[in-house]
Amino acid sequence: MRETTSELTIRAAGRSDRLAVCTLLQQAWHSAGGARWDQLDELGSRCTALLAQRNALTVAFCLFDLRTAPAAGLSAVAVADREQVGEAWRELWWAAERYLAGCGVQSVHYIGDAPWLLEILEQHGFRQANTVVVYEKMQDGAIPAGHAGVRVRPARSEERDGIVAIDAACFAPLWHYPRPMLEALLKPTTRLSVAELDRRIVGYQLSAQEGTEGQVIRLAVAPEWQRQGIASRLLADTLATFHRGRVRRVSLNTQADNLAAQKLYERFGFQRTGEELPVLEKAMAPEG
Ligand SMILES: CC(C)(COP(=O)(O)OP(=O)(O)OC[C@H]1O[C@@H](n2cnc3c(N)ncnc32)[C@H](O)[C@@H]1OP(=O)(O)O)[C@@H](O)C(=O)NCCC(=O)NCCS
Protein backbone atom coordinates (compact mmCIF):
# COMPACT_ATOMS: atom_id res chain seq x y z
CA MET A 1 0.00 0.00 0.00
CA ARG A 2 1.23 3.48 -0.82
CA GLU A 3 -0.93 6.61 -0.61
CA THR A 4 0.45 10.02 -1.46
CA THR A 5 -1.43 13.10 -0.34
CA SER A 6 -0.18 16.68 0.09
CA GLU A 7 3.48 15.68 0.21
CA LEU A 8 2.88 12.98 2.80
CA THR A 9 3.39 9.44 1.65
CA ILE A 10 1.52 6.82 3.67
CA ARG A 11 2.77 3.27 3.60
CA ALA A 12 2.65 0.14 5.71
CA ALA A 13 5.67 -0.29 7.97
CA GLY A 14 7.88 -3.34 7.93
CA ARG A 15 10.19 -4.71 10.58
CA SER A 16 13.05 -2.59 9.21
CA ASP A 17 11.05 0.50 10.30
CA ARG A 18 11.10 -0.51 13.97
CA LEU A 19 13.86 1.91 14.90
CA ALA A 20 12.14 4.88 13.22
CA VAL A 21 8.89 3.99 14.99
CA CYS A 22 10.56 3.70 18.40
CA THR A 23 12.55 6.90 17.94
CA LEU A 24 9.45 8.88 17.04
CA LEU A 25 7.54 7.32 19.92
CA GLN A 26 10.22 8.35 22.39
CA GLN A 27 11.02 11.80 21.03
CA ALA A 28 7.77 13.30 19.79
CA TRP A 29 5.69 15.37 22.18
CA HIS A 30 2.55 14.01 20.51
CA SER A 31 3.26 10.42 21.37
CA ALA A 32 0.85 7.96 22.96
CA GLY A 33 0.79 4.29 23.78
CA GLY A 34 3.76 2.12 24.41
CA ALA A 35 4.51 -0.14 21.47
CA ARG A 36 6.25 -3.16 22.91
CA TRP A 37 8.95 -5.01 21.01
CA ASP A 38 6.72 -8.05 20.73
CA GLN A 39 4.25 -5.92 18.77
CA LEU A 40 6.96 -4.47 16.58
CA ASP A 41 8.31 -7.95 15.96
CA GLU A 42 4.87 -8.92 14.68
CA LEU A 43 4.80 -6.03 12.18
CA GLY A 44 3.54 -7.17 8.83
CA SER A 45 1.76 -10.20 10.26
CA ARG A 46 -0.31 -9.79 13.40
CA CYS A 47 0.41 -6.11 13.95
CA THR A 48 0.45 -3.37 11.42
CA ALA A 49 1.76 0.16 11.44
CA LEU A 50 1.16 2.86 8.91
CA LEU A 51 3.88 5.45 8.43
CA ALA A 52 3.54 8.96 7.10
CA GLN A 53 6.73 10.08 5.40
CA ARG A 54 7.78 13.47 4.13
CA ASN A 55 10.82 13.48 1.87
CA ALA A 56 11.58 9.92 3.02
CA LEU A 57 11.57 10.99 6.67
CA THR A 58 9.09 9.24 8.97
CA VAL A 59 7.02 12.03 10.50
CA ALA A 60 4.06 10.10 11.95
CA PHE A 61 2.87 6.57 12.51
CA CYS A 62 0.02 4.61 14.02
CA LEU A 63 0.36 1.02 15.19
CA PHE A 64 -2.53 -1.43 15.30
CA ASP A 65 -2.52 -4.75 17.08
CA LEU A 66 -4.47 -7.24 14.97
CA ARG A 67 -3.97 -10.20 17.29
CA THR A 68 -7.44 -9.68 18.69
CA ALA A 69 -9.07 -9.49 15.22
CA PRO A 70 -11.81 -8.78 14.27
CA ALA A 71 -11.25 -6.17 17.00
CA ALA A 72 -8.03 -4.19 16.50
CA GLY A 73 -6.22 -2.18 19.14
CA LEU A 74 -4.66 1.17 18.41
CA SER A 75 -1.49 0.56 20.39
CA ALA A 76 0.63 3.59 19.65
CA VAL A 77 0.59 6.85 17.74
CA ALA A 78 3.24 9.54 17.34
CA VAL A 79 3.52 12.67 15.24
CA ALA A 80 6.80 14.57 14.86
CA ASP A 81 6.89 17.94 16.58
CA ARG A 82 7.17 19.99 13.39
CA GLU A 83 4.04 18.40 11.86
CA GLN A 84 0.38 19.47 12.01
CA VAL A 85 -1.03 16.75 14.27
CA GLY A 86 -4.62 16.93 13.01
CA GLU A 87 -3.54 16.80 9.39
CA ALA A 88 -1.09 13.93 9.88
CA TRP A 89 -3.71 11.91 11.75
CA ARG A 90 -6.40 12.61 9.15
CA GLU A 91 -4.19 11.21 6.41
CA LEU A 92 -3.05 8.24 8.44
CA TRP A 93 -6.56 7.37 9.54
CA TRP A 94 -7.95 7.76 6.03
CA ALA A 95 -5.49 5.14 4.81
CA ALA A 96 -5.83 3.02 7.97
CA GLU A 97 -9.60 2.70 7.74
CA ARG A 98 -9.38 1.17 4.28
CA TYR A 99 -6.42 -0.98 5.18
CA LEU A 100 -8.06 -2.36 8.33
CA ALA A 101 -11.38 -3.00 6.61
CA GLY A 102 -9.44 -4.98 4.01
CA CYS A 103 -7.98 -7.10 6.84
CA GLY A 104 -11.50 -7.91 8.08
CA VAL A 105 -11.25 -5.62 11.11
CA GLN A 106 -14.70 -4.70 12.42
CA SER A 107 -13.80 -2.31 15.21
CA VAL A 108 -10.82 -0.35 16.50
CA HIS A 109 -10.29 0.61 20.12
CA TYR A 110 -7.87 2.76 22.05
CA ILE A 111 -7.25 2.37 25.78
CA GLY A 112 -5.36 5.33 27.15
CA ASP A 113 -5.60 8.85 28.42
CA ALA A 114 -3.45 11.03 26.14
CA PRO A 115 -5.74 14.10 25.92
CA TRP A 116 -4.59 15.19 22.45
CA LEU A 117 -5.25 11.73 21.03
CA LEU A 118 -8.64 11.36 22.75
CA GLU A 119 -9.71 14.66 21.21
CA ILE A 120 -8.57 13.67 17.72
CA LEU A 121 -10.13 10.23 17.93
CA GLU A 122 -13.45 11.70 19.01
CA GLN A 123 -13.32 14.03 16.01
CA HIS A 124 -12.92 10.90 13.85
CA GLY A 125 -15.94 9.09 15.24
CA PHE A 126 -14.46 7.16 18.18
CA ARG A 127 -16.76 6.99 21.20
CA GLN A 128 -16.13 5.99 24.79
CA ALA A 129 -17.32 2.38 25.16
CA ASN A 130 -15.97 1.54 28.59
CA THR A 131 -13.50 2.54 31.29
CA VAL A 132 -10.66 0.55 32.81
CA VAL A 133 -10.61 0.99 36.60
CA VAL A 134 -7.54 0.26 38.70
CA TYR A 135 -7.58 -1.48 42.08
CA GLU A 136 -4.89 -2.04 44.68
CA LYS A 137 -4.45 -3.90 47.94
CA MET A 138 -1.80 -3.84 50.57
CA GLN A 139 -0.75 -7.32 51.59
CA ASP A 140 -2.59 -7.65 54.86
CA GLY A 141 -5.75 -9.07 56.37
CA ALA A 142 -7.58 -12.36 55.99
CA ILE A 143 -8.61 -13.49 52.51
CA PRO A 144 -11.31 -15.93 51.36
CA ALA A 145 -10.00 -19.45 50.67
CA GLY A 146 -12.19 -20.38 47.67
CA HIS A 147 -13.13 -23.85 46.42
CA ALA A 148 -11.33 -26.43 48.56
CA GLY A 149 -11.43 -29.13 45.84
CA VAL A 150 -9.56 -27.04 43.30
CA ARG A 151 -5.86 -27.58 42.79
CA VAL A 152 -3.88 -24.56 41.63
CA ARG A 153 -0.62 -25.39 39.90
CA PRO A 154 1.74 -23.92 37.27
CA ALA A 155 0.38 -24.21 33.73
CA ARG A 156 2.14 -26.61 31.38
CA SER A 157 3.03 -25.40 27.89
CA GLU A 158 0.70 -27.96 26.29
CA GLU A 159 -2.18 -26.42 28.25
CA ARG A 160 -1.86 -23.01 26.63
CA ASP A 161 -4.48 -23.67 23.93
CA GLY A 162 -6.95 -24.66 26.64
CA ILE A 163 -6.15 -21.48 28.56
CA VAL A 164 -6.66 -19.38 25.43
CA ALA A 165 -10.03 -21.13 24.87
CA ILE A 166 -11.16 -20.26 28.42
CA ASP A 167 -10.01 -16.69 27.85
CA ALA A 168 -11.96 -16.45 24.58
CA ALA A 169 -15.10 -17.78 26.28
CA CYS A 170 -14.78 -15.25 29.12
CA PHE A 171 -14.00 -11.98 27.39
CA ALA A 172 -15.36 -9.90 24.50
CA PRO A 173 -13.02 -9.89 21.46
CA LEU A 174 -11.58 -6.52 22.42
CA TRP A 175 -10.06 -8.07 25.56
CA HIS A 176 -9.00 -11.47 24.19
CA TYR A 177 -5.52 -12.83 24.80
CA PRO A 178 -4.81 -14.98 21.75
CA ARG A 179 -1.89 -17.37 22.18
CA PRO A 180 0.85 -15.05 20.78
CA MET A 181 -0.24 -12.29 23.16
CA LEU A 182 -0.34 -14.67 26.11
CA GLU A 183 3.09 -16.03 25.26
CA ALA A 184 4.55 -12.54 24.84
CA LEU A 185 3.64 -11.94 28.48
CA LEU A 186 5.41 -15.04 29.81
CA LYS A 187 8.66 -13.91 31.35
CA PRO A 188 10.75 -14.89 34.37
CA THR A 189 8.78 -12.30 36.37
CA THR A 190 5.35 -13.65 35.43
CA ARG A 191 3.50 -16.67 36.73
CA LEU A 192 0.83 -18.53 34.78
CA SER A 193 -1.18 -21.01 36.81
CA VAL A 194 -4.31 -23.04 36.28
CA ALA A 195 -7.18 -24.18 38.48
CA GLU A 196 -7.71 -27.93 38.08
CA LEU A 197 -10.91 -29.63 39.19
CA ASP A 198 -11.56 -33.33 38.52
CA ARG A 199 -8.60 -33.34 36.07
CA ARG A 200 -10.12 -30.48 34.10
CA ILE A 201 -8.69 -26.99 33.66
CA VAL A 202 -11.48 -24.69 34.77
CA GLY A 203 -9.70 -21.35 35.14
CA TYR A 204 -6.38 -19.59 35.06
CA GLN A 205 -4.49 -16.62 36.37
CA LEU A 206 -1.50 -14.65 35.10
CA SER A 207 0.39 -12.42 37.50
CA ALA A 208 3.69 -10.60 37.71
CA GLN A 209 6.07 -9.45 40.42
CA GLU A 210 8.52 -6.56 40.15
CA GLY A 211 10.33 -6.01 43.43
CA THR A 212 7.73 -5.55 46.14
CA GLU A 213 4.95 -4.79 43.65
CA GLY A 214 2.62 -7.50 42.42
CA GLN A 215 0.15 -7.32 39.57
CA VAL A 216 -2.71 -9.64 38.71
CA ILE A 217 -2.71 -9.39 34.92
CA ARG A 218 -5.46 -11.86 34.19
CA LEU A 219 -7.99 -14.02 35.98
CA ALA A 220 -10.68 -16.04 34.26
CA VAL A 221 -12.92 -19.00 35.04
CA ALA A 222 -14.72 -20.98 32.31
CA PRO A 223 -18.36 -19.77 32.23
CA GLU A 224 -19.84 -23.15 33.21
CA TRP A 225 -17.65 -23.26 36.35
CA GLN A 226 -18.24 -19.76 37.62
CA ARG A 227 -19.72 -18.92 41.00
CA GLN A 228 -18.17 -21.95 42.70
CA GLY A 229 -15.26 -20.24 44.40
CA ILE A 230 -12.72 -21.04 41.66
CA ALA A 231 -11.54 -17.48 41.00
CA SER A 232 -11.33 -17.03 44.77
CA ARG A 233 -9.11 -20.09 44.99
CA LEU A 234 -6.86 -18.79 42.18
CA LEU A 235 -6.67 -15.32 43.68
CA ALA A 236 -5.95 -16.67 47.16
CA ASP A 237 -3.09 -18.72 45.72
CA THR A 238 -1.72 -15.72 43.81
CA LEU A 239 -1.83 -13.52 46.92
CA ALA A 240 -0.13 -16.26 48.97
CA THR A 241 2.64 -16.48 46.34
CA PHE A 242 3.05 -12.72 46.44
CA HIS A 243 3.18 -12.87 50.23
CA ARG A 244 6.01 -15.42 50.09
CA GLY A 245 7.79 -13.14 47.58
CA ARG A 246 7.53 -10.23 50.05
CA VAL A 247 5.18 -8.25 47.82
CA ARG A 248 3.73 -5.28 49.67
CA ARG A 249 1.26 -3.87 47.16
CA VAL A 250 -0.85 -5.72 44.61
CA SER A 251 -2.61 -3.95 41.75
CA LEU A 252 -5.00 -5.05 39.04
CA ASN A 253 -7.54 -3.55 36.75
CA THR A 254 -10.89 -4.40 35.29
CA GLN A 255 -13.65 -2.77 33.30
CA ALA A 256 -16.05 -0.32 34.95
CA ASP A 257 -19.00 -2.50 33.87
CA ASN A 258 -17.49 -5.79 35.12
CA LEU A 259 -19.41 -5.98 38.35
CA ALA A 260 -18.62 -9.68 38.94
CA ALA A 261 -14.87 -8.99 38.94
CA GLN A 262 -15.28 -5.87 41.06
CA LYS A 263 -17.28 -7.75 43.71
CA LEU A 264 -14.68 -10.49 43.77
CA TYR A 265 -11.79 -8.04 44.17
CA GLU A 266 -13.58 -6.05 46.83
CA ARG A 267 -14.20 -9.27 48.81
CA PHE A 268 -10.44 -9.71 48.83
CA GLY A 269 -9.89 -6.19 50.19
CA PHE A 270 -8.92 -4.47 46.93
CA GLN A 271 -9.84 -0.81 46.72
CA ARG A 272 -10.10 1.53 43.76
CA THR A 273 -7.09 3.81 43.35
CA GLY A 274 -9.10 6.40 41.41
CA GLU A 275 -6.96 5.83 38.32
CA GLU A 276 -9.13 5.26 35.27
CA LEU A 277 -8.45 4.86 31.57
CA PRO A 278 -11.10 5.51 28.94
CA VAL A 279 -11.72 2.84 26.30
CA LEU A 280 -12.60 4.45 22.97
CA GLU A 281 -14.04 2.42 20.17
CA LYS A 282 -15.06 2.88 16.57
CA ALA A 283 -16.90 0.38 14.37
CA MET A 284 -15.47 0.07 10.87
CA ALA A 285 -17.76 0.58 7.92
CA PRO A 286 -18.10 -2.74 6.07
CA GLU A 287 -15.96 -2.94 2.93
CA GLY A 288 -17.40 -2.18 -0.47
C1 LIG B 1 -14.90 -12.58 37.54
C2 LIG B 1 -14.68 -14.09 37.56
C3 LIG B 1 -13.20 -14.38 37.41
C4 LIG B 1 -15.20 -14.66 38.88
O1 LIG B 1 -14.95 -16.07 38.89
P1 LIG B 1 -15.76 -17.06 39.86
O2 LIG B 1 -15.00 -18.34 39.92
O3 LIG B 1 -17.15 -17.14 39.39
O4 LIG B 1 -15.69 -16.28 41.23
P2 LIG B 1 -16.00 -16.87 42.69
O5 LIG B 1 -16.97 -18.01 42.56
O6 LIG B 1 -14.72 -17.15 43.37
O7 LIG B 1 -16.74 -15.63 43.35
C5 LIG B 1 -16.34 -15.02 44.54
C6 LIG B 1 -17.22 -13.84 44.83
O8 LIG B 1 -17.10 -12.86 43.79
C7 LIG B 1 -18.39 -12.25 43.58
N1 LIG B 1 -18.90 -12.63 42.25
C8 LIG B 1 -18.34 -13.51 41.39
N2 LIG B 1 -19.09 -13.57 40.26
C9 LIG B 1 -20.13 -12.75 40.43
C10 LIG B 1 -21.24 -12.38 39.64
N3 LIG B 1 -21.43 -12.89 38.40
N4 LIG B 1 -22.10 -11.48 40.11
C11 LIG B 1 -21.93 -10.92 41.32
N5 LIG B 1 -20.88 -11.25 42.16
C12 LIG B 1 -20.02 -12.14 41.70
C13 LIG B 1 -19.30 -12.80 44.64
O9 LIG B 1 -19.15 -11.97 45.78
C14 LIG B 1 -18.70 -14.16 44.87
O10 LIG B 1 -19.02 -14.72 46.12
P3 LIG B 1 -20.41 -15.52 46.29
O11 LIG B 1 -20.53 -16.46 45.14
O12 LIG B 1 -20.24 -16.20 47.62
O13 LIG B 1 -21.49 -14.47 46.27
C15 LIG B 1 -15.49 -14.80 36.42
O14 LIG B 1 -16.80 -14.29 36.44
C16 LIG B 1 -14.89 -14.60 35.06
O15 LIG B 1 -14.02 -15.35 34.62
N6 LIG B 1 -15.38 -13.56 34.34
C17 LIG B 1 -14.90 -13.26 33.00
C18 LIG B 1 -13.45 -12.82 33.01
C19 LIG B 1 -13.22 -11.66 33.94
O16 LIG B 1 -14.02 -10.74 34.02
N7 LIG B 1 -12.08 -11.69 34.64
C20 LIG B 1 -11.70 -10.71 35.65
C21 LIG B 1 -11.53 -9.36 35.13
S1 LIG B 1 -10.02 -9.04 34.35
Side-chain angles (χ1 to χ4, degrees):
M1 136 196 252
R2 207 174 188 90
E3 312 268 2
T4 306
T5 47
S6 66
E7 301 163 41
L8 280 182
T9 300
I10 312 290
R11 68 165 175 85
R15 292 187 56 176
S16 58
D17 295 303
R18 287 181 304 173
L19 189 59
V21 165
C22 282
T23 307
L24 201 56
L25 198 58
Q26 279 164 15
Q27 293 179 352
W29 191 87
H30 289 100
S31 162
R36 300 184 312 260
W37 279 108
D38 66 279
Q39 294 179 325
L40 298 175
D41 282 341
E42 301 267 5
L43 272 179
S45 53
R46 297 191 185 98
C47 294
T48 195
L50 295 186
L51 301 182
Q53 293 187 304
R54 192 184 293 284
N55 304 325
L57 258 187
T58 299
V59 294
F61 81 91
C62 52
L63 173 76
F64 297 94
D65 199 330
L66 304 180
R67 291 177 292 186
T68 52
L74 175 59
S75 304
V77 182
V79 182
D81 293 346
R82 58 194 172 280
E83 294 295 320
Q84 289 277 344
V85 180
E87 188 186 317
W89 175 260
R90 192 168 52 248
E91 304 218 2
L92 276 171
W93 181 244
W94 183 70
E97 267 191 307
R98 289 186 299 159
Y99 184 83
L100 295 171
C103 300
V105 167
Q106 291 170 7
S107 66
V108 178
H109 64 272
Y110 165 71
I111 305 171
D113 57 359
W116 65 272
L117 184 56
L118 292 174
E119 192 183 324
I120 284 181
L121 292 178
E122 278 170 2
Q123 285 165 6
H124 284 82
F126 281 74
R127 294 290 170 258
Q128 186 159 352
N130 210 329
T131 305
V132 169
V133 291
V134 180
Y135 280 80
E136 68 176 358
K137 169 184 164 61
M138 304 316 281
Q139 278 281 59
D140 53 16
I143 51 172
H147 193 308
V150 167
R151 179 174 164 233
V152 178
R153 58 162 176 80
R156 302 184 195 115
S157 54
E158 67 271 20
E159 289 167 342
R160 288 182 194 160
D161 283 339
I163 288 172
V164 166
I166 291 178
D167 196 89
C170 283
F171 291 96
L174 158 64
W175 305 105
H176 283 177
Y177 271 14
R179 192 162 168 161
M181 263 170 94
L182 177 75
E183 288 179 342
L185 289 163
L186 301 179
K187 300 179 189 137
T189 49
T190 53
R191 188 171 157 265
L192 178 67
S193 48
V194 291
E196 190 185 273
L197 181 65
D198 299 334
R199 295 169 180 262
R200 249 187 284 213
I201 307 298
V202 292
Y204 85 99
Q205 75 80 44
L206 177 68
S207 52
Q209 180 175 352
E210 296 280 351
T212 58
E213 298 273 316
Q215 191 195 1
V216 182
I217 301 170
R218 204 70 159 177
L219 181 65
V221 171
E224 62 275 29
W225 295 98
Q226 291 177 2
R227 256 358 237 281
Q228 297 180 43
I230 293 165
S232 299
R233 177 78 192 87
L234 280 161
L235 193 52
D237 181 82
T238 302
L239 294 178
T241 305
F242 281 153
H243 185 72
R244 288 193 294 275
R246 298 184 189 283
V247 164
R248 294 172 63 86
R249 176 181 171 272
V250 182
S251 64
L252 52 81
N253 60 53
T254 188
Q255 310 94 305
D257 60 358
N258 192 341
L259 300 181
Q262 290 175 26
K263 279 201 130 191
L264 168 73
Y265 298 145
E266 282 158 14
R267 271 188 66 163
F268 275 76
F270 283 88
Q271 294 180 335
R272 281 202 194 195
T273 63
E275 190 187 335
E276 296 190 350
L277 286 179
V279 180
L280 264 60
E281 196 168 14
K282 180 173 180 176
M284 296 282 98
E287 238 196 327

